[in-house]
Amino acid sequence: MWLYNIMVKRTKKRSHKRSNKKRTNRQKRTIKNRNEARKYIEIMNAGYKQITSSWHDIFDKDDYLLLSYIKQGIKKGWKILKDKNIIKEIKCNSLCMTMSILNSTLGTRKRLDQLNPVQELYLFFISYLIDDSNLLPKEASLKHAIKKIDNRIMNKKKDLIRYEAKKDNRNIKKCNKYIERQESLKDQLIESDGLNKEGIGSAFKLDVCDGIDCQYLQEYKMEKGQKWNETYSKFCLNITEIFKGMVWLNMFMIFDRIKSLKEIKGMSPYMEKIDLNVDIRKSIYRQDIILIPDSYIYESDLFYKDTAFDRAIRRKVIRKEDKKYWVYHNLNLEKGTIDKRGINTLENKHYVVAMMSVQYESDWKSPKEVKEKEMWKNFQDFLNGKGKLPKLKKIYKTIRKIGENEKYDLQEDIENTITLHWIYIHRDRLQDFISGYIE
């Protein structure tokens, strides 16, 4: 019996040592994760404060729970940036030219480990905000749809209080009507257990820019425990502000306003703009940018020379089926010329691409021929560097209504523009993209 007791004690002792070792390893992993997460948390806090002009941190040291999600997102974002099949159009922003510059800057890097943490976090948001075909068939749950309806009602009640203070009877009536309608639709969903979606299908559609939809997409993580719920709620409810903060910080770094991560912490959140003064004409030359004509230019004789090449490419554009589009490329600043290039003659790589929208002075009711002549002249002036030339003057902070809410936003100020939209796209997607844009 005494031998048995000794063996039991030894077994318990060994078990206790193994338990302590496991606990120690777990603690070491937690400390390592906290230290690694700190740099990303500090940068996201800095970005949030920049956009909201606040000194308030939204994340703390316990939000290291985001680390695995961030690291996975960075790797996925890098793959998306390099994937020639994905057009880089990022949701939740209005900075198409700025984003194209940023995507191109990061896209020229050969390896992911060449990026700093601010750039890595931008990739993380790319992984979430670029259209994911896997999301298209999904819908929000009934619980989250009702939550979205409650949010709509709450926001409209805030508007109602404001209108009542102004005694704005017209808008008071509108608000009350909207609230009654949403409450009725909410009752309809509850009574039918979500089956009757007539008039309220929009509440089930997923929008990655929406905080409630973000919470739905992160539901698995949020159900792991209270701290997980708190961490991911903070992330989701502030996702657009944090993302725009990453864009703001990256643009400061690109234009050498800050050169180190240490400087980020010392930035004042009260800066309202970044003055850029980018000469777009020179940028098109230096950065190998492509211009996509609009339908006016593709069809107008004025924009084609009387050569066999120009006649041939025009025929391919105006025919009814199997159209083959060309693009403008190789701007020559000295000669004031730009080449027409077949898409298949371009290099096998990603390009910054701008969709053209050359202005005309006449009334929109004027004959097409008059407008085309003015567009042609204005384009020739652009090529030759005459008159008022397009410039990206600045990026600035603003607040505007996005969806149901007033949100912090960034806008770009482009003077004398000849473009409508900018994207970062691989050569192999250009034909399909232009077809969808023109036709």
Side-chain angles (χ1 to χ4, degrees):
M1 186 69 181
W2 63 271
L3 182 61
Y4 171 77
N5 289 336
I6 290 172
M7 293 299 292
V8 168
K9 286 180 181 179
R10 285 179 179 176
T11 302
K12 286 183 178 179
K13 193 172 183 180
R14 283 197 297 269
S15 176
H16 182 66
K17 284 182 178 179
R18 283 197 298 270
S19 177
N20 282 341
K21 189 174 181 181
K22 284 182 181 178
R23 195 179 303 119
T24 301
N25 289 337
R26 194 182 306 120
Q27 287 171 344
K28 285 180 179 179
R29 283 197 302 272
T30 299
I31 291 169
K32 182 183 176 183
N33 287 343
R34 284 180 186 272
N35 290 335
E36 190 177 358
R38 185 185 299 123
K39 64 181 177 183
Y40 295 121
I41 286 173
E42 288 177 351
I43 293 168
M44 287 196 293
N45 279 334
Y48 173 81
K49 288 188 285 190
Q50 284 296 312
I51 295 304
T52 59
S53 297
S54 160
W55 290 103
H56 170 64
D57 287 341
I58 53 170
F59 297 115
D60 57 43
K61 58 182 176 62
D62 292 328
D63 293 315
Y64 73 92
L65 297 173
L66 287 168
L67 181 63
S68 61
Y69 181 47
I70 290 172
K71 290 172 74 174
Q72 290 169 7
I74 290 169
K75 291 177 182 177
K76 182 183 175 185
W78 178 251
K79 288 180 180 178
I80 288 172
L81 192 65
K82 295 292 184 178
D83 192 332
K84 69 178 185 179
N85 295 311
I86 299 176
I87 299 171
K88 284 59 169 181
E89 285 197 281
I90 302 171
K91 293 180 176 293
C92 312
N93 84 96
S94 309
L95 306 176
C96 62
M97 183 179 178
T98 302
M99 301 295 282
S100 297
I101 292 171
L102 184 48
N103 290 333
S104 177
T105 301
L106 302 186
T108 55
R109 303 289 197 275
K110 300 297 183 184
R111 302 188 315 276
L112 177 56
D113 61 14
Q114 292 177 314
L115 304 186
N116 64 48
V118 180
Q119 295 167 331
E120 287 177 341
L121 280 170
Y122 174 75
L123 289 183
F124 162 69
F125 282 100
I126 280 182
S127 74
Y128 179 76
L129 296 174
I130 283 183
D131 269 331
D132 185 344
S133 58
N134 294 323
L135 284 181
L136 296 179
K138 291 184 181 179
E139 282 191 339
S141 65
L142 174 60
K143 179 180 78 173
H144 278 82
I146 290 173
K147 194 173 180 181
K148 287 166 78 172
I149 296 170
D150 285 338
N151 193 53
R152 292 175 184 177
I153 293 170
M154 180 184 70
N155 287 329
K156 196 57 70 173
K157 284 181 176 179
K158 289 178 182 177
D159 291 342
L160 180 60
I161 292 170
R162 193 169 67 251
Y163 291 133
E164 285 175 340
K166 295 179 181 178
K167 296 183 179 180
D168 185 343
N169 292 327
R170 183 170 176 270
N171 280 311
I172 289 172
K173 187 177 180 180
K174 281 185 176 181
C175 284
N176 283 324
K177 188 175 180 181
Y178 179 89
I179 292 167
E180 288 172 12
R181 173 66 175 160
Q182 292 298 310
E183 287 176 340
S184 172
L185 291 169
K186 177 183 170 181
D187 291 340
Q188 170 188 304
L189 283 177
I190 293 171
E191 289 168 6
S192 68
D193 199 24
L195 296 176
N196 186 359
K197 300 176 183 177
E198 186 177 351
I200 195 60
S202 62
F204 289 86
K205 291 180 180 178
L206 292 177
D207 176 7
V208 292
C209 305
D210 183 272
I212 295 173
D213 285 345
C214 174
Q215 288 176 317
Y216 170 69
L217 293 170
Q218 306 301 331
E219 190 172 31
Y220 169 74
K221 300 182 188 74
M222 294 178 70
E223 289 178 347
K224 287 184 175 183
Q226 183 179 350
K227 185 54 192 170
W228 287 82
N229 186 290
E230 291 172 359
T231 294
Y232 277 86
S233 289
K234 286 191 283 187
F235 169 75
C236 283
L237 296 176
N238 299 284
I239 188 166
T240 58
E241 287 83 359
I242 304 167
F243 163 59
K244 287 165 188 174
M246 293 307 102
V247 175
W248 184 264
L249 294 179
N250 270 286
M251 292 309 290
F252 260 93
M253 298 191 86
I254 287 174
F255 288 93
D256 290 326
R257 307 297 165 86
I258 51 175
K259 296 183 179 180
S260 70
L261 300 180
K262 188 176 180 181
E263 289 182 75
I264 288 175
K265 296 180 185 178
M267 289 174 61
S268 167
Y270 300 125
M271 290 181 291
E272 293 297 318
K273 62 180 180 176
I274 306 175
D275 289 315
L276 301 175
N277 290 314
V278 174
D279 186 319
I280 293 176
R281 180 171 173 270
K282 290 180 179 177
S283 294
I284 290 172
Y285 165 71
R286 291 171 182 159
Q287 304 300 325
D288 202 26
I289 292 171
I290 285 173
L291 298 177
I292 297 178
D294 60 14
S295 57
Y296 273 109
I297 294 175
Y298 272 131
E299 296 171 7
S300 173
D301 287 331
L302 286 174
F303 290 86
Y304 295 89
K305 296 176 182 177
D306 188 17
T307 64
F309 174 78
D310 273 28
R311 287 194 295 270
I313 62 172
R314 185 176 184 276
R315 281 196 300 270
K316 291 178 181 179
V317 165
I318 64 173
R319 62 191 180 193
K320 291 184 179 180
E321 296 181 359
D322 193 27
K323 295 175 184 284
K324 297 295 181 185
Y325 292 99
W326 54 267
V327 295
Y328 281 122
H329 189 224
N330 294 335
L331 173 62
N332 188 315
L333 296 180
E334 293 181 2
K335 295 181 180 179
T337 60
I338 193 167
D339 296 337
K340 298 183 184 75
R341 298 279 303 274
I343 292 170
N344 63 334
T345 68
L346 297 169
E347 289 184 58
N348 180 25
K349 66 175 187 177
H350 280 83
Y351 288 90
V352 173
V353 173
M355 279 72 92
M356 295 177 65
S357 179
V358 182
Q359 302 301 307
Y360 53 83
E361 290 74 30
S362 297
D363 186 87
W364 66 275
K365 295 179 182 178
S366 300
K368 186 178 180 181
E369 296 78 12
V370 173
K371 291 186 283 189
E372 286 176 359
K373 284 180 181 178
E374 292 175 355
M375 289 170 63
W376 181 84
K377 180 184 179 302
N378 290 338
F379 186 48
Q380 296 306 308
D381 286 346
F382 165 77
L383 294 178
N384 288 285
K386 295 180 180 178
K388 296 179 179 179
L389 298 173
K391 278 190 176 183
L392 174 58
K393 295 288 290 180
K394 63 184 177 183
I395 303 168
Y396 61 96
K397 300 177 188 177
T398 185
I399 297 176
R400 68 187 183 100
K401 191 159 189 176
I402 302 175
E404 299 291 326
N405 302 307
E406 294 283 336
K407 303 284 282 184
Y408 292 98
D409 197 24
L410 293 176
Q411 297 282 321
E412 54 193 9
D413 179 12
I414 303 177
E415 284 187 352
N416 310 310
T417 185
I418 65 160
T419 59
L420 185 65
H421 186 49
W422 295 66
I423 57 168
Y424 186 59
I425 185 173
H426 193 273
R427 177 203 64 182
D428 293 352
R429 290 301 311 275
L430 274 171
Q431 175 66 31
D432 289 340
F433 178 80
I434 297 172
S435 294
Y437 170 62
I438 295 294
E439 296 173 14

